[in-house]
Amino acid sequence: MLEEGYAAVTSRRTAARAGLKPQLVHYYFRTMDDLFLALFRRRADQGLERQARALASAQPLWSLWDLSRDPRGTALTMEFTALANHRKAIRAELSASAERYRTGLLEAFRTVLARYELDEAEYPPIVCAVLLTSISTFLVIEQEMLGMSTGHAETVTFVEDVIRRLEGDRNPAADIASVLPIKPERRR
Amino acid sequence: MLEEGYAAVTSRRTAARAGLKPQLVHYYFRTMDDLFLALFRRRADQGLERQARALASAQPLWSLWDLSRDPRGTALTMEFTALANHRKAIRAELSASAERYRTGLLEAFRTVLARYELDEAEYPPIVCAVLLTSISTFLVIEQEMLGMSTGHAETVTFVEDVIRRLEGDRNPAADIASVLPIKPERRR
DNA sequence: GTCTATACCGAGATAGAC
DNA sequence: GTCTATCTCGGTATAGAC
């Protein structure tokens, strides 16, 4: 999916990568949609776990920002979004998952804004959540999918200046590692 | 493309909508890629024209904001982005077009920020351009492709408050009409 | 310019042997 | 659990008649 888009993920090619015959994909997952759903659910669970770890870190804003800028997560989400366009089951799963993720982010901003004694009317937590997600998502799309980067560095600097005003400099050690992507699992 | 995604656009179905045989698609465009490119170029030209009209309007920020929130433009762009993932020619065309669009937006913000005597160091025009595009793009993706809208209204209000501080209330009449989507053309 | 005919490929999926 | 065999569909694309 990441290399060639969801349309390139077929039973034949999936099986070939696993060194097996295409029919086994259907044996394990029946339809391709079931396979995509299984993949999505596993990634969504991992995403929520990572978000929880980011929220629990000493610098939640830095952690959330780093997490949402992880290209692999966003690129996969975009593929699933495109797939969701004509697969109802995927779409339902994806939007439910996005809602859960947003709720987590909202709680994080509520907590953080209270901690730094900011006015919720001036910086509504839900707006902060949407802004953080939209900016990071968009930058990843342009960078990874189009190879574009005009204005990206300046925008990152701008956002990070805001975070720095709240949480101070990024602590280089512990937090970032706790949010790193999870390695692919081996088949059982 | 808008209804079912780019993967649903095949020579057979395209021809069927036109009431013709699939082979004619190849007669006119040779390959499907050529067809997609032709479509993209026409839309990209229209997009630049609309942007130019927005820049020339009495309230460029309102016009640009409305334009970038037009769901049809963004939805198509997202389809092409997904398509670009595995079609080199599309990708090159798309990123070139996005660069041109960004440049236009940058010039707009330079002009506007100067007009309202804002500090360019505090609000870098290129950052404004990236922010405007990312927020509107992301909202459209969630709304149109996932049917999600949590936090959207609040975010729109937030952005529009900023615009209002610069350009005052939206002038309801002239500007908006000048930025409206262009109707589909008939085949010649 | 539009058609018929046709080649060729690769997709999803099922049946049934081992 | 993995295989072979096979069905059916729909995609891209070309050749050639009219």
Side-chain angles (χ1 to χ4, degrees):
Chain A
M1 281 184 86
L2 289 175
E3 291 160 13
E4 303 181 59
Y6 71 86
V9 179
T10 66
S11 51
R12 286 166 144 87
R13 299 184 69 181
T14 305
R17 288 242 185 159
L20 299 169
K21 297 289 169 182
Q23 294 87 334
L24 277 195
V25 174
H26 298 291
Y27 173 76
Y28 282 108
F29 296 98
R30 210 178 69 86
T31 69
M32 290 305 289
D33 274 23
D34 289 340
L35 170 58
F36 281 122
L37 270 181
L39 170 63
F40 179 77
R41 287 193 182 120
R42 198 170 70 179
R43 286 287 168 182
D45 289 345
Q46 291 173 352
L48 281 176
E49 280 170 34
R50 282 196 240 168
Q51 192 195 47
R53 267 178 282 150
L55 298 187
S57 79
Q59 294 178 306
L61 291 186
W62 280 118
S63 300
L64 287 167
W65 173 242
D66 290 339
L67 173 60
S68 66
R69 266 162 54 72
D70 172 17
R72 303 202 322 184
T74 301
L76 251 193
T77 302
M78 285 317 302
E79 283 303 319
F80 276 113
T81 304
L83 187 58
N85 233 3
H86 47 286
R87 313 270 186 127
K88 259 174 71 179
I90 304 271
R91 181 176 156 139
E93 194 79 15
L94 186 48
S95 59
S97 164
E99 291 282 8
R100 264 178 281 140
Y101 202 85
R102 170 117 348 132
T103 304
L105 211 49
L106 173 60
E107 288 309 317
F109 274 109
R110 283 219 177 100
T111 310
V112 168
L113 293 177
R115 182 188 304 173
Y116 302 122
E117 296 180 350
L118 285 172
D119 183 8
E120 282 217 0
E122 197 170 353
Y123 303 98
I126 184 68
V127 173
C128 296
V130 173
L131 291 183
L132 182 91
T133 309
S134 37
I135 296 167
S136 54
T137 301
F138 184 77
L139 292 184
V140 173
I141 291 174
E142 282 204 338
Q143 176 73 56
E144 301 296 314
M145 300 179 86
L146 298 183
M148 253 187 87
S149 61
T150 306
H152 286 204
E154 295 88 335
T155 305
V156 169
T157 301
F158 183 86
V159 172
E160 298 194 344
D161 281 348
V162 176
I163 298 180
R164 196 169 292 110
R165 252 174 267 143
L166 295 172
E167 283 192 344
D169 279 320
R170 186 195 246 115
N171 179 334
D175 285 349
I176 291 152
S178 75
V179 167
L180 276 186
I182 294 162
K183 284 184 194 154
E185 294 169 20
R186 302 250 347 135
R187 281 280 327 279
R188 271 156 292 188
Chain B
M1 281 184 88
L2 287 176
E3 291 161 12
E4 303 181 58
Y6 71 85
V9 179
T10 65
S11 51
R12 282 166 145 91
R13 299 185 69 181
T14 305
R17 289 243 184 158
L20 299 169
K21 297 289 169 182
Q23 295 85 333
L24 277 196
V25 174
H26 298 290
Y27 173 76
Y28 283 108
F29 297 97
R30 211 179 69 82
T31 69
M32 290 304 289
D33 273 23
D34 289 340
L35 170 58
F36 281 121
L37 269 181
L39 171 62
F40 179 78
R41 287 191 182 121
R42 196 169 72 180
R43 285 288 168 182
D45 289 345
Q46 291 174 352
L48 281 176
E49 279 170 35
R50 281 196 241 168
Q51 192 196 46
R53 267 179 283 151
L55 298 187
S57 79
Q59 295 178 306
L61 291 185
W62 280 116
S63 300
L64 288 167
W65 173 242
D66 290 339
L67 173 60
S68 65
R69 266 163 53 73
D70 173 16
R72 302 203 322 184
T74 301
L76 251 194
T77 303
M78 285 318 302
E79 283 303 320
F80 276 112
T81 304
L83 187 58
N85 234 3
H86 48 285
R87 314 271 187 126
K88 261 174 69 179
I90 305 271
R91 181 176 157 139
E93 195 78 15
L94 187 46
S95 58
S97 164
E99 291 281 8
R100 263 178 282 140
Y101 202 85
R102 171 116 347 132
T103 304
L105 211 47
L106 172 61
E107 288 308 317
F109 273 109
R110 283 218 179 100
T111 311
V112 169
L113 293 177
R115 182 189 304 173
Y116 301 123
E117 296 180 351
L118 285 172
D119 182 8
E120 282 217 0
E122 197 170 357
Y123 302 98
I126 184 67
V127 172
C128 296
V130 173
L131 290 183
L132 181 92
T133 310
S134 37
I135 295 167
S136 55
T137 301
F138 184 78
L139 292 183
V140 173
I141 291 174
E142 281 204 340
Q143 176 74 55
E144 301 296 314
M145 299 180 86
L146 298 183
M148 251 186 88
S149 60
T150 306
H152 286 206
E154 295 88 337
T155 305
V156 168
T157 301
F158 182 85
V159 172
E160 297 193 344
D161 282 348
V162 175
I163 299 179
R164 197 170 293 110
R165 252 173 267 143
L166 295 171
E167 283 191 344
D169 278 321
R170 185 194 247 116
N171 179 335
D175 285 347
I176 291 151
S178 73
V179 168
L180 275 185
I182 294 162
K183 284 184 193 154
E185 294 168 19
R186 301 250 349 134
R187 280 281 325 279
R188 270 156 293 190

